[in-house]
Amino acid sequence: METNAATGLEDPAYRAAVVDLLGVLAYGELTACIRMATDSDLAPSLRLKAKMVGFAAAEYRQYELLVDRLTEIGAEAEESMQPFVVPFSAFHTRTAPRSWVEGLVKAYVGDGIAKDFYREMASFVDEETREVMDRALDDAGTGEFIVGVVRDVIRTDPTAKGRLSLWGRRLLGEALSQGQAVAVERDALSGLLIGRGADLAQIGQMFTRLTDRHSERMTRLGLTP
Amino acid sequence: METNAATGLEDPAYRAAVVDLLGVLAYGELTACIRMATDSDLAPSLRLKAKMVGFAAAEYRQYELLVDRLTEIGAEAEESMQPFVVPFSAFHTRTAPRSWVEGLVKAYVGDGIAKDFYREMASFVDEETREVMDRALDDAGTGEFIVGVVRDVIRTDPTAKGRLSLWGRRLLGEALSQGQAVAVERDALSGLLIGRGADLAQIGQMFTRLTDRHSERMTRLGLTP
């Protein structure tokens, strides 16, 4: 284990931010794993079902990496995830997919926004933490799979494009509003941005990047951003 | 890869039985993984939820072992699982748990009966296949966890014992009836028993062992068999 001095973890505010960041990411992976496995039950073929469960299993392995890192820096994993249970549950209640393909769009678009945000935050943390985050943020082929499925659905069902585009926009709105709620509540997380020298203009640019990348994802799916 | 001659796989009837056995076991692990992950969403605490997803991930790894063995003997995994999709789905539709603890009892009792049956069948197959089956049948601590949870529930809710005992008996009935439907349809599987020298009396004894072990599991849960 590295010494705290090498990572900046001896600073309580920084440490709290890292624990929050790893905690929210770990809980995000755990719920993404559960959602993917649950949605796999609606898959129209055994091949698609098995693929989705494989992605769920990959998300569980990423969850384990994050739990290991939390343990390594002396944090209790469940305690670190606990603050994010309610906001995640609120997001999922407000965005319950009504079909298999809506679930896939949600996984791609929702996890995409969240992971872009975590990638932005990763530039503010120490190398060891960033390395774990990078591995946990790898998409393991899930995106490519979902893009293929959604494009197929749009090709065969002409009403799907409009409906799923609307769904994607709603997911962005809900994700940003829940993200904001978390940021307000978790001082340490927003402190990480400010404390590491990001000014308001830079935070604004970050949000522009997040919505730009959301639009790119929607386009990749064949949907209207 | 071992030669077919060493394993008996050059005999088409035996090979078909092994493919069926690995196929049903693989599909059983895949659906057990999905059920466990889905049910974890109802867990009353983050600790319990994370534990259940961990068990689901262990089931996925066992599924992968079985898929690897199927591939190794030249069978196509999805094709081998396909015949069992409808019977499993019928079983799950008829035994949809109405609560988190019913889901756990179902996982313990339902998977327990299935795994006992596969263990019986394992004594009729070649060593390499049996080794893979043994690893896939390891319970990875799931049973111990469920027994603890169910006993806690019974302690705190005096109406639970009667209700869950009834549920366990219903699960046995449904499992045996679906198992029978599979056996009738999959000649190769029943042929494995007969072809390897099991007579009707021995098959009868096997069913007695299966129901005996079911009773033991019910007792372990604190329920009335």
Side-chain angles (χ1 to χ4, degrees):
Chain A
M1 202 193 296
E2 74 279 3
T3 63
N4 280 353
T7 57
L9 284 163
E10 76 287 358
D11 168 9
Y14 173 67
R15 190 181 179 281
V18 166
V19 169
D20 261 11
L21 201 51
L22 293 170
V24 67
L25 189 43
Y27 191 63
E29 289 292 353
L30 188 67
T31 50
C33 164
I34 295 173
R35 294 269 77 75
M36 185 61 83
T38 303
D39 288 351
S40 78
D41 223 16
L42 302 169
S45 79
L46 183 49
R47 188 183 66 81
L48 295 170
K49 187 190 287 232
K51 256 194 167 330
M52 287 176 75
V53 184
F55 294 136
E59 273 151 355
Y60 184 76
R61 284 191 294 271
Q62 294 176 324
Y63 159 80
E64 284 184 310
L65 287 176
L66 294 158
V67 166
D68 287 349
R69 177 65 185 162
L70 279 164
T71 309
E72 198 181 31
I73 66 171
E76 211 281 305
E78 275 146 39
E79 211 176 283
S80 316
M81 293 189 280
Q82 196 65 56
F84 308 103
V85 172
V86 170
F88 269 78
S89 161
F91 174 73
H92 287 303
T93 305
R94 294 176 66 89
T95 58
R98 286 159 307 176
S99 69
W100 179 65
V101 71
E102 277 196 8
L104 287 180
V105 170
K106 177 175 163 178
Y108 186 62
V109 162
D111 292 1
I113 298 163
K115 289 191 165 181
D116 277 346
F117 171 73
Y118 302 136
R119 267 183 214 108
E120 294 276 354
M121 297 300 279
S123 66
F124 296 100
V125 301
D126 58 276
E127 212 184 303
E128 288 83 353
T129 301
R130 184 161 54 244
E131 213 170 274
V132 175
M133 287 180 71
D134 283 346
R135 287 173 66 195
L137 289 167
D138 185 87
D139 113 313
T142 317
E144 202 186 332
F145 166 78
I146 296 177
V147 166
V149 169
V150 174
R151 285 187 166 268
D152 274 353
V153 167
I154 293 172
R155 241 194 311 277
T156 51
D157 173 4
T159 71
K161 184 174 173 165
R163 208 170 52 239
L164 292 174
S165 297
L166 205 65
W167 174 240
R169 287 196 287 277
R170 213 181 108 208
L171 289 166
L172 174 69
E174 294 289 351
L176 290 182
S177 112
Q178 284 304 324
Q180 210 151 21
V182 168
V184 167
E185 194 143 322
R186 306 305 294 174
D187 287 343
L189 265 185
S190 26
L192 184 61
L193 283 165
I194 312 296
R196 296 266 157 154
D199 59 22
L200 274 181
Q202 285 174 311
I203 295 176
Q205 283 158 12
M206 183 184 92
F207 273 94
T208 307
R209 282 194 297 275
L210 290 182
T211 49
D212 282 354
R213 286 196 202 118
H214 167 75
S215 298
E216 287 163 23
R217 265 188 299 273
M218 291 288 280
T219 307
R220 222 171 295 136
L221 288 169
L223 302 176
T224 315
Chain B
M1 200 193 297
E2 73 278 4
T3 62
N4 280 353
T7 57
L9 284 163
E10 76 288 356
D11 168 8
Y14 173 67
R15 189 181 179 282
V18 166
V19 170
D20 262 10
L21 201 51
L22 294 170
V24 67
L25 189 43
Y27 192 65
E29 289 291 354
L30 188 67
T31 51
C33 164
I34 295 174
R35 294 269 76 75
M36 185 60 83
T38 303
D39 288 351
S40 79
D41 223 18
L42 302 170
S45 78
L46 183 49
R47 187 183 67 80
L48 295 169
K49 185 189 288 230
K51 256 195 166 329
M52 288 176 75
V53 183
F55 294 137
E59 273 152 355
Y60 185 76
R61 286 191 292 273
Q62 294 176 323
Y63 160 79
E64 285 184 309
L65 287 176
L66 294 157
V67 166
D68 287 349
R69 177 63 184 163
L70 279 164
T71 309
E72 197 180 33
I73 66 171
E76 211 282 305
E78 275 146 37
E79 210 176 284
S80 315
M81 292 190 280
Q82 197 65 56
F84 308 103
V85 172
V86 170
F88 269 78
S89 161
F91 174 73
H92 286 302
T93 305
R94 294 176 66 89
T95 58
R98 285 159 308 176
S99 68
W100 178 65
V101 70
E102 277 196 10
L104 287 179
V105 170
K106 178 175 163 178
Y108 186 62
V109 162
D111 292 1
I113 299 163
K115 289 191 165 182
D116 277 346
F117 170 72
Y118 302 136
R119 266 183 214 108
E120 293 276 354
M121 296 301 278
S123 66
F124 295 101
V125 301
D126 57 277
E127 212 183 306
E128 288 83 353
T129 301
R130 184 161 56 243
E131 214 170 274
V132 175
M133 287 180 70
D134 283 346
R135 286 173 65 196
L137 289 166
D138 184 89
D139 113 314
T142 317
E144 201 186 331
F145 166 78
I146 296 177
V147 167
V149 169
V150 174
R151 285 186 165 268
D152 275 353
V153 168
I154 293 171
R155 241 194 310 276
T156 51
D157 173 4
T159 70
K161 185 175 172 163
R163 208 171 52 241
L164 292 174
S165 297
L166 206 64
W167 174 240
R169 287 195 286 278
R170 213 181 108 206
L171 288 166
L172 174 69
E174 294 289 351
L176 290 182
S177 112
Q178 284 304 326
Q180 210 150 23
V182 168
V184 168
E185 193 142 322
R186 308 302 297 172
D187 286 344
L189 266 185
S190 26
L192 184 62
L193 283 165
I194 312 296
R196 297 268 158 151
D199 59 22
L200 274 180
Q202 285 174 311
I203 295 177
Q205 284 159 11
M206 184 183 90
F207 274 95
T208 307
R209 281 193 299 274
L210 290 181
T211 49
D212 282 352
R213 286 195 202 117
H214 166 76
S215 300
E216 286 164 23
R217 266 188 298 273
M218 292 287 280
T219 306
R220 224 171 295 137
L221 287 169
L223 302 176
T224 316

